Amino acid sequence: MSVIQVAAGLIYRDGRYLIARRLAGGHLGGFWEFPGGKREPGESLEGCLARELREELNIQIGHPALFDVVRHAYPEKTVELHFFHCHIESGEAEAVQCAELRWVRPDELTQFQFPPADDVIIGRLCHEAGRSES
């Protein structure tokens, strides 16, 4: 089984992360996620992230910095998620190719239903936020 590479943006502003709700009907429809998408052949992960965020949210991002890589096997496919910290350089995020958007504090992330592959990242973000507050 081939591995699908995905780039996802951890977009942080004013103490909150931007999350997007997947459109109903597709793989993991209705779940929340950190916005991003599948890498195209010959595309860098950073280029993929910039393209996906432009297409999905109508924003331009600054220089993404790799945060973590998570590999997760679903029954129908295996994904390798590359999570990048990034910031919006231009545009205001809008739900172009997703059901809705929310800006949430790290401690609120666990209140949303994310795909299982995101669990380790959510745990790390909550842990780091807790450390920085103490």
Side-chain angles (χ1 to χ4, degrees):
M1 183 184 315
S2 64
V3 176
I4 298 168
Q5 291 197 320
V6 174
L10 302 172
I11 304 168
Y12 192 72
R13 181 173 74 189
D14 300 326
R16 297 175 187 270
Y17 285 100
L18 181 63
I19 61 172
R21 189 171 202 157
R22 298 175 69 101
L23 293 169
H27 178 67
L28 300 170
F31 279 70
W32 289 88
E33 66 180 355
F34 297 102
K38 289 183 256 183
R39 181 165 107 165
E40 300 290 337
E43 186 176 47
S44 71
L45 287 159
E46 294 84 355
C48 167
L49 182 62
R51 176 185 52 77
E52 288 283 350
L53 296 181
R54 188 173 55 252
E55 292 172 359
E56 290 183 11
L57 307 178
N58 200 27
I59 58 172
Q60 303 289 329
I61 59 166
H63 304 286
L66 185 62
F67 175 68
D68 204 351
V69 179
V70 175
R71 186 178 279 229
H72 186 83
Y74 290 101
E76 66 281 4
K77 65 176 98 174
T78 297
V79 294
E80 186 176 86
L81 299 159
H82 299 255
F83 291 90
F84 291 87
H85 279 297
C86 56
H87 65 277
I88 299 173
E89 284 209 335
S90 67
E92 190 59 42
E94 54 184 297
V96 178
Q97 292 183 7
C98 54
E100 68 179 292
L101 299 174
R102 298 242 183 114
W103 288 95
V104 298
R105 292 188 323 264
D107 64 329
E108 295 173 320
L109 290 169
T110 57
Q111 298 170 24
F112 295 85
Q113 186 177 18
F114 281 80
D118 290 11
D119 289 350
V120 67
I121 297 300
I122 290 169
R124 281 192 63 196
L125 294 174
C126 291
H127 178 76
E128 288 184 7
R131 271 198 339 232
S132 67
E133 291 172 5
S134 52

